[in-house]
Amino acid sequence: MSRRTRKNVGLIGLGIIGSRVREVLRRKGFHVFVWNRTPRPVPNFVGAPAELAEMCDFVQIFVSDDDALLYIVKQLSPGLAARHIVLAHSTVSPATMCAAAEIVERRGARFVEAPFTGSKEAAENGELAYYVSGEAAAVREARPLLEASSKELLEIGEEIGQATAIKIATNMVTAASVQSAAEALALVQAAGLPLEKFALAMQQNASNSKTLSMKLPKMIEGNFERHFSIQHMLKDMQIASRLGLSHHLELAVSAAARDRLLEQMQRGHGDDDYSAVALKYFHQSESKTESETDLDLFSPPAVPDSPPPAVIRKEITMPGLASFPEEERAPADFQPEETQLPEAAVFEPEHAEANVPTPEPRNGNGERAATEPPPSVLPQPISRELEDEEEETQQPAGFFSRLLRRATNY
């Protein structure tokens, strides 16, 4: 294979990362031919993915999601042969990566899985980090190309899908870190402290990271210029959730980060940087819902604007205790003179002074008449389960009410 042929590289996808990788490769002497779904006025732009395969032995794919990756490899397929190595840099599900590899390998070509980590600045400087899986010989041949746009290659294994699993796992930590930072900033602001003090404190904290060092100042400024978008991070967290379910794992923190990303996606911030999850706390506090207010356990009760509803006062009498009033809220249309309490509202024990039971009928020998059922002083519940349910839903609350129920169960 000639030196010039080895340096002919096809690159598909001119987004934030792909467009910068293209420039890095050109600066380092590679002949780069490109294709993008939306045509771009750049040198060596070709008409279709299959044309890249005709001119290049290496094809790098920088597209955003599962559907796009499968579409591209199908478009490449007719032009692929044994001389080709296709490198997929997308963050997709491991199953999609395996499906893409199968399409490529059916044509006799080889497939290298190489998702990356790094911002657009890292891409501009050729300092991405690739997680790599694939056949050892293919990885070895592709290494000089990958090294041209990276500072590190981490070989995960030969099985396709392994590098993607690592990439998804690292993004879980990244998304959770930024979500936690957004919540911490909200707490600091609520305490009346300068947000910059928190950023300074984090610089000396063991839990600080490169991600937080980069994101915190921009979050404080309200600068959510896209480096890695909400919609793409949301896609990765959805993949993480599905992977967790497939392995019967509860990924609670990742699920919470996913839901916050989804909120901002639905609010129209899908193209902003994923650190825009902070908008929930700083730019939209006025939209706090009633349900969110109810979750504030430490707030004092609000003073009502209108007088409280009418109160029914009823007397409950217990043997050996002075009577005490118990209050119940009346409906809005309450009319005191028309209201009657249910007759069975309070059970009167047999030994109470009121409602003394009528003497039982006896036969000539002084025994209880056989035709009468034995008296039952206390009502017998049908089942303990039903009794418990009624206590939760029907009995009045409060200390004296519980005391009353206890007295009636003896």
Side-chain angles (χ1 to χ4, degrees):
M1 186 178 292
S2 70
R3 178 178 175 83
R4 180 175 177 84
T5 303
R6 285 186 62 87
K7 288 203 171 186
N8 282 0
V9 177
L11 191 148
I12 296 176
L14 295 176
I16 290 176
I17 302 300
S19 61
R20 288 164 173 78
V21 170
R22 168 189 168 274
E23 291 299 324
V24 169
L25 295 179
R26 283 170 57 83
R27 289 199 305 265
K28 294 188 176 181
F30 289 85
H31 300 280
V32 185
F33 296 85
V34 299
W35 184 85
N36 191 68
R37 183 178 58 182
T38 303
R40 301 283 183 89
V42 296
N44 296 342
F45 193 101
V46 303
E51 291 185 35
L52 291 176
E54 294 176 6
M55 295 180 281
C56 310
D57 287 341
F58 296 92
V59 180
Q60 292 185 270
I61 303 175
F62 290 91
V63 294
S64 61
D65 57 33
D66 299 60
D67 291 341
L69 177 60
L70 292 177
Y71 172 80
I72 291 301
V73 295
K74 288 174 183 177
Q75 295 297 308
L76 276 174
S77 180
L80 294 177
R83 65 185 177 89
H84 289 103
I85 296 179
V86 176
L87 299 98
H89 303 293
S90 307
T91 303
V92 296
S93 72
T96 297
M97 194 65 78
C98 291
E102 184 179 353
I103 293 170
V104 169
E105 291 166 355
R106 279 203 299 260
R107 301 290 301 178
R110 291 171 291 172
F111 187 90
V112 172
E113 170 191 24
F116 61 89
T117 185
S119 65
K120 66 180 180 181
E121 286 83 3
E124 283 176 355
N125 298 324
E127 295 179 348
L128 297 174
Y130 290 106
Y131 310 120
V132 184
S133 288
E135 180 207 3
V139 171
R140 186 167 54 251
E141 285 188 46
R143 177 174 280 276
L145 175 61
L146 293 172
E147 287 176 341
S149 58
S150 70
K151 63 179 180 181
E152 186 173 356
L153 269 66
L154 178 62
E155 294 190 29
I156 305 300
E158 293 200 11
E159 185 178 337
I160 299 300
Q162 292 178 333
T164 289
I166 291 293
K167 168 61 176 173
I168 292 295
T170 61
N171 273 14
M172 289 166 63
V173 176
T174 302
S177 297
V178 170
Q179 174 60 34
S180 180
E183 295 179 15
L185 287 171
L187 185 63
V188 169
Q189 184 180 64
L193 298 170
L195 299 181
E196 292 77 11
K197 296 293 185 182
F198 174 70
L200 288 172
M202 284 303 302
Q203 290 177 10
Q204 308 305 319
N205 193 281
S207 61
N208 196 32
S209 64
K210 291 182 179 178
T211 294
L212 293 182
S213 295
M214 179 174 64
K215 296 297 182 185
L216 269 176
K218 294 183 181 295
M219 293 165 74
I220 292 172
E221 296 169 8
N223 178 359
F224 302 114
E225 178 189 356
R226 180 179 63 195
H227 292 251
F228 186 57
S229 70
I230 277 183
Q231 62 177 325
H232 290 157
M233 184 61 87
L234 173 60
K235 176 258 300 178
D236 293 353
M237 292 304 97
Q238 289 170 329
I239 293 172
S241 295
R242 290 195 295 269
L243 281 175
L245 286 173
S246 71
H247 293 290
H248 308 289
L249 296 174
E250 181 184 3
L251 307 179
V253 174
S254 297
R258 176 202 64 202
D259 292 346
R260 302 292 78 77
L261 290 161
L262 180 59
E263 281 181 8
Q264 296 308 316
M265 181 77 176
Q266 292 172 335
R267 292 179 183 273
H269 297 288
D271 289 330
D272 291 338
D273 189 80
Y274 71 98
S275 59
V277 291
L279 288 171
K280 175 181 177 68
Y281 307 101
F282 297 105
H283 288 208
Q284 296 169 359
S285 58
E286 68 278 359
S287 63
K288 191 176 182 183
T289 65
E290 184 177 350
S291 61
E292 288 174 321
T293 304
D294 292 340
L295 294 176
D296 192 354
L297 302 180
F298 301 100
S299 295
V303 178
D305 296 328
S306 58
V311 171
I312 304 173
R313 301 180 69 87
K314 64 178 181 179
E315 297 292 327
I316 298 180
T317 304
M318 291 184 59
L321 291 176
S323 63
F324 60 91
E326 183 174 269
E327 295 185 355
E328 297 179 348
R329 294 205 178 275
D333 57 349
F334 168 65
Q335 299 296 330
E337 65 276 10
E338 298 177 1
T339 302
Q340 295 182 353
L341 295 177
E343 294 181 0
V346 179
F347 173 74
E348 296 290 342
E350 183 180 5
H351 55 273
E353 295 180 3
N355 300 325
V356 177
T358 304
E360 304 169 10
R362 303 279 177 171
N363 58 23
N365 296 325
E367 299 174 347
R368 185 182 295 114
T371 57
E372 295 289 335
S376 177
V377 174
L378 295 176
Q380 300 299 317
I382 296 174
S383 69
R384 182 69 216 172
E385 180 180 359
L386 177 59
E387 186 181 46
D388 288 343
E389 181 181 346
E390 290 174 347
E391 286 180 355
E392 286 189 32
T393 59
Q394 297 180 12
Q395 292 289 345
F399 167 78
F400 288 110
S401 300
R402 291 195 299 273
L403 187 59
L404 171 62
R405 290 200 301 277
R406 201 173 298 123
T408 60
N409 284 327
Y410 289 100

